Amino acid sequence: MANLTRDEVLAKAALGESFDRADLRGLDLSNASLEGVDLRRADLEGGNLEGAHLRGANLRNASLREAYLAGADLREVNLDKAELEGANLERAKLDGANLSRANLEGGNLTGASLTSAKLANAQLQSANLGGADLSDVNLSHADLVECYLGGAKLVYANLRNADLTSANLEEADLTDANADDAELVGADLKRARAKGASLVRANLERADLTGADFSGADLRQANLSGAKLGADLTGAKVAGVITTGAVLEGIVASWVDDSRDGDGSRRVSGAAALSILSGKGPAPSVPPPPRGQAVRYFGQGDVLRNATLEFGEGVKVQIESRFEQCSIALGRGAELTVGKSGVLAHCRIEGAGNITLHGRFFERESPGIVGPSQLVVTAEGQLVGQVEQAPELTRFAFEPGCRLRMKILRARSEPDALRPGKDK
């Protein structure tokens, strides 16, 4: 337990003394005046800091597990790498606070104010942020899996690369937020407001957008497979969007922007707009290879669906377009490159070729990639699926920044005696 009393803490704080590494566990510091105090690495686990005044304090690397901080003034506090697992921060003031890399898993931040706070790379799994004000907050790369954000205010929030898998954002306000490359698989966005929000390359697979306002949102190259799209998408930017198996009941889209650069140069309205969103637009014919060259190129803006493609030994294949539910067979030494604009949604690749992903691959069924000699995922690339190695073992390369949700399997042809878990 604490090796200081409440009165001793207040007296030392008044003198500006440091509490670096101090043991303050379970101490009652409710309504205490601790503005600007140095509490780095202090242990405040289970402490009562209800209504405490900690504005500008330094709590970097401090432990506040299960601490009670309801209504506390934590504005501009440094909580970088702090442990706040299970802490109660209901109605706390955290405006301008630094919570980068902090652990808030299972924390209660209901009704808290976090405007302009820094939460990059923070851990917020299963945290309750219902009704919280997160305007202009930085949540880039944060873990918000199964987080409750119902009615939260996320206007101008930075959610780039954040993981919001199965998060509840019902009636949340995401106006002008940036959620590029975010994971929103199975997220509940019913009646959410995301007008003008940017969700470029975001993964909204099986998300529920019923009754939401996504008018003017940037959904270019977003994955909306299996999602419920009963939202207002009027004026949304939809070039390269994936909607395989999506439910369009209740959708409103008087017009959409299908231009590659989202500059409004390809405005599509009426039935044509709904056709794009349903993924039922006509698929182009497969272009022939250039004469005298073993090269196949699929350009930007093209869509190929339900195709079976075979490429022989040494053929070079460049994909900048969108493939949906396609099967690709690669001969030995064939080179398949998925460019930055390329998307292979619900596809399968098989054969002893070399694969380079600058774009995105989502498997149709597991394993989605079978037997490649080499697989490279660059910094811009994304791979979601299982990869079964070649019998001679696949060479892998993953650049920093790539997005992976994958599992590597041994080759099926490999003798059981060499498989993990078998006696040798």
Side-chain angles (χ1 to χ4, degrees):
M1 295 299 291
N3 54 19
L4 292 171
T5 67
R6 174 189 171 94
D7 289 341
E8 287 172 335
V9 169
L10 295 179
K12 288 177 176 290
L15 294 171
E17 294 187 21
S18 173
F19 294 91
D20 187 5
R21 301 180 187 273
D23 185 353
L24 305 173
R25 288 175 294 167
L27 201 61
D28 183 2
L29 293 168
S30 57
N31 299 304
S33 181
L34 299 166
E35 290 92 342
V37 170
D38 181 6
L39 287 155
R40 287 174 296 169
R41 295 179 289 270
D43 191 347
L44 291 145
E45 184 174 347
N48 180 6
L49 290 108
E50 181 180 10
H53 303 280
L54 288 148
R55 185 168 185 169
N58 190 348
L59 284 149
R60 191 174 191 270
N61 290 110
S63 176
L64 290 144
R65 288 189 180 93
E66 304 293 336
Y68 191 69
L69 292 141
D73 185 353
L74 294 155
R75 286 175 291 174
E76 300 163 14
V77 163
N78 185 358
L79 284 157
D80 182 32
K81 290 185 179 179
E83 288 290 338
L84 290 142
E85 185 176 355
N88 189 329
L89 291 145
E90 191 173 357
R91 303 182 313 282
K93 298 175 182 177
L94 289 146
D95 307 284
N98 180 9
L99 289 143
S100 301
R101 299 171 291 181
N103 181 9
L104 290 145
E105 184 175 354
N108 181 3
L109 291 100
T110 305
S113 182
L114 295 115
T115 60
S116 302
K118 298 175 183 177
L119 285 139
N121 296 290
Q123 304 296 311
L124 288 146
Q125 305 100 311
S126 303
N128 187 344
L129 286 148
D133 189 348
L134 295 146
S135 301
D136 202 33
V137 73
N138 183 358
L139 280 158
S140 60
H141 297 277
D143 188 342
L144 294 143
V145 173
E146 296 184 347
C147 185
Y148 182 75
L149 288 151
K153 190 175 182 180
L154 289 145
V155 178
Y156 292 111
N158 180 357
L159 292 156
R160 298 187 65 179
N161 291 287
D163 191 346
L164 290 136
T165 300
S166 300
N168 189 327
L169 290 136
E170 190 171 354
E171 298 185 353
D173 189 350
L174 291 139
T175 303
D176 294 317
N178 187 333
D180 292 350
D181 298 297
E183 289 288 333
L184 287 147
V185 177
D188 186 348
L189 288 150
K190 290 193 293 290
R191 297 180 299 282
R193 296 178 295 283
K195 189 172 183 178
S198 183
L199 294 109
V200 178
R201 296 178 302 275
N203 189 0
L204 290 137
E205 192 172 357
R206 301 188 307 280
D208 191 346
L209 280 65
T210 305
D213 182 1
F214 275 71
S215 57
D218 193 343
L219 291 161
R220 286 176 295 161
Q221 299 185 56
N223 181 11
L224 288 154
S225 301
K228 295 180 181 178
L229 297 180
D232 185 351
L233 294 170
T234 300
K237 301 170 184 178
V238 296
V241 70
I242 302 167
T243 57
T244 307
V247 179
L248 273 68
E249 184 178 353
I251 196 170
V252 176
S254 56
W255 69 275
V256 294
D257 178 1
D258 195 35
S259 61
R260 186 185 67 188
D261 298 324
D263 56 9
S265 60
R266 190 175 176 183
R267 180 169 168 156
V268 183
S269 58
L274 292 176
S275 180
I276 289 172
L277 293 169
S278 66
K280 295 179 180 178
S285 59
V286 179
R291 184 172 295 178
Q293 298 181 34
V295 177
R296 299 296 293 272
Y297 179 74
F298 301 84
Q300 293 186 17
D302 291 344
V303 181
L304 193 66
R305 299 186 182 90
N306 303 310
T308 300
L309 306 172
E310 295 185 13
F311 302 105
E313 293 185 11
V315 174
K316 294 184 178 180
V317 185
Q318 176 77 31
I319 298 175
E320 294 286 354
S321 50
R322 186 175 74 199
F323 284 22
E324 296 181 7
Q325 301 188 52
C326 294
S327 295
I328 300 172
L330 299 175
R332 184 168 296 277
E335 295 184 12
L336 171 63
T337 301
V338 181
K340 293 181 182 180
S341 301
V343 178
L344 274 62
H346 306 291
C347 292
R348 180 181 174 88
I349 304 172
E350 188 167 3
N354 300 322
I355 302 168
T356 301
L357 284 176
H358 301 287
R360 299 183 293 162
F361 176 88
F362 304 95
E363 69 180 9
R364 178 173 60 191
E365 55 186 35
S366 296
I369 299 177
V370 178
S373 295
Q374 177 175 290
L375 175 61
V376 177
V377 185
T378 65
E380 301 87 1
Q382 179 180 7
L383 191 157
V384 178
Q386 295 187 0
V387 179
E388 183 180 302
Q389 297 196 67
E392 62 273 21
L393 299 183
T394 300
R395 298 186 301 274
F396 292 96
F398 306 114
E399 292 185 358
C402 68
R403 303 172 66 200
L404 302 172
R405 190 189 299 168
M406 64 176 294
K407 181 178 182 180
I408 299 174
L409 309 175
R410 292 291 184 94
R412 281 174 292 181
S413 59
E414 187 176 4
D416 285 346
L418 298 180
R419 295 190 180 181
K422 296 288 184 180
D423 294 331
K424 298 181 182 180

